[in-house]
Amino acid sequence: MEGEREFGCSRVRTSWDDSEEQFQDSMEDEAELQRECLQKFASRDFIMEPTIFNTLKRYFQAGGSPEHVIQLLSENYTAVAQTVNLLAEWLIQTGVEPEQVQEMVENHLKSLLIKHFDPRKADSIFTEEGATPAWLEQMIAHATWRDLFYKLAEAHPDCLMLNFTVKLISDAGYQGEIMSVSTACQQLEVFARVLRTSLSSILDGGEESLEKTLPEFAAILTLLAQEEQGGSVLRRLSQEVQRYAQDRGHDVSQITLALGNASAYPRACQALGAMLSKAALNPADITTLYKMFTSLDPPPVELVRVPAFLDLFMHTLFKPGAKVNPDHKHKYIYILAYTTSVVETWKKNKRVNINKDELKTTSKAIETAHVLCCNENKGSSELLAELATLYQCIRFPVVAVGVLRWVDWTVSEPSYFKLQTDHTPVHLALLDEVHGAWDLLSCLNCCCVPILWDLIHESLLCFSVHCIQISTCHQLMQPLVLQLLTKLFETEHSQLDVMEQLELKKTLLDRMVHLLSRGCVLPVVSYIRRCLDKQDTDLSLIRHFVTEVLDMVAPPYTPDFVSLFLPILENDSIAGTIKPEGECDPVADFIAHCKSNFMGS
């Protein structure tokens, strides 16, 4: 046989045989390609398809006959699109508005596409095209077809082509429309853009927009806060938004409860909702919660961990003059202690453990602090005698918050300074050495000094000591302590003469320096820097602050600290009047260190 040679009993194939097989395979592939193309040509109105030219090119490269193509395309051309255009022209000729005709055609086409959409065929577009089709980019430029993609994406969330199209729409800047598409935000990049657009629209819309959208935004954050990953951060943001909405006069309590776990506990939800709506606690609703949380299977503690609800407890148990029914006071204290001390362990949405180890001690601390702070018969002298007990209570965060709020309410009372008549023998310099509760207590026990001020100053001194203890034990409360100190620092005390006012403000500055020593550096220095820039503070006070800080700090310094503190020292009115002690000049040393380590970088 030609193409084969015999060597003994074996037959050896030549390269000509391989070529013959390759040729046959090629012919079969071309025949298959022609049949595929002819099948497309035989479909209705294929000549109107965007892929017509690529298909013709493949068919002719495979050796297809032009006559056969022309016959199939012409026989199957029914001119659906052209007929629609013709009917549209006729409608317009009869007096129908062109916009109405266009809307009619587009809506009918949208309904057909939604009815007959095939996700698998849609996904095959990308495998065939190899790139984003030009017609797709043209479609997303029109609101009608963007709306079509949104509806299709909701109906077919797993379609890759639709997900890609939604991303294209987001890239084109239509995040405002995508907000209503739930499946669209499953893509992190799209969700981030939608969230950013939503926040921008709220902030840029002015007060009216803010008033309108705050409750809805608070509801969104409440839902997101239930996610395990990052839920705690969003829960805090949700609480801040709810607080702001409440301050603006919105009642978002019902939204908060409805979107949380309260719906599973209708009695608790009703009790909480009633108190939050009226912004006041009452014995009946507290009793309802008390019975539920003292049962063997209490509701989740998160149910009552609502900032607005905790604020009501602060007003009830720590505000001077507030009255609590003695028969129900233990219920108030128990609910507050339970809310702030109980720890629950959850696995797969099921509670597996409730840790109440600190419930009893927290309740006792709240009760003791309540009695000490709200006893109207105790003066400053009696209160100083109870400092040891109060400091032990302040170690509990919930008590620290209550005491701080009590201090704020007490010193903010207009008649506070006028009603003080007694004197308290406490040395002012004692506070400069306080770095914790037990240091202070040891100093108090051995202190025997003359009276320097009247009770106005000494009482405020006592409250400042409470602030020191709070800032020492609870770093997260340092901004609240600083806020109180700055308010007192800026308050005019007309009852005192000029020198006494300066001494009082020096005491408050010492408390700020203590905050700085406990890590609250940038906020404190930023405040003093603002005081210097506004030129509304006696320069001797700022010099006092600078001297105290320079005695305490040492290199290395952070760039943020240098950028705030160095301009204060470079002010001639400040540094130029601070006298160096002997050969040591802390001002010059600090400036030289900063210039050598920061100015050149």
Side-chain angles (χ1 to χ4, degrees), residues 258-277:
L259 296 178
N261 296 324
S263 57
Y265 302 89
R267 291 178 57 209
C269 182
Q270 182 179 3
L272 273 171
M275 290 185 285
L276 290 174
S277 298

Side-chain angles (χ1 to χ4, degrees), residues 336-355:
L336 180 58
Y338 191 100
T339 303
T340 56
S341 66
V342 170
V343 179
E344 297 177 338
T345 304
W346 292 76
K347 290 185 179 180
K348 296 181 179 180
N349 295 325
K350 184 178 180 180
R351 184 170 57 191
V352 296
N353 183 47
I354 305 178
N355 187 335

Side-chain angles (χ1 to χ4, degrees), residues 127-193:
T127 58
E128 293 180 0
E129 295 284 341
T132 304
W135 55 266
L136 185 59
E137 295 180 349
Q138 294 173 2
M139 287 186 70
I140 65 176
H142 298 276
T144 301
W145 306 124
R146 291 197 302 272
D147 182 67
L148 169 65
F149 286 122
Y150 301 150
K151 293 180 179 178
L152 291 175
E154 292 284 351
H156 307 279
D158 297 328
C159 180
L160 299 179
M161 177 263 187
L162 292 175
N163 290 334
F164 179 77
T165 303
V166 170
K167 185 177 182 303
L168 285 180
I169 295 174
S170 175
D171 293 341
Y174 299 104
Q175 285 84 10
E177 299 176 356
I178 302 177
M179 286 189 293
S180 60
V181 186
S182 59
T183 56
C185 290
Q186 293 178 358
Q187 304 180 54
L188 179 60
E189 185 177 356
V190 175
F191 172 79
R193 290 175 178 170

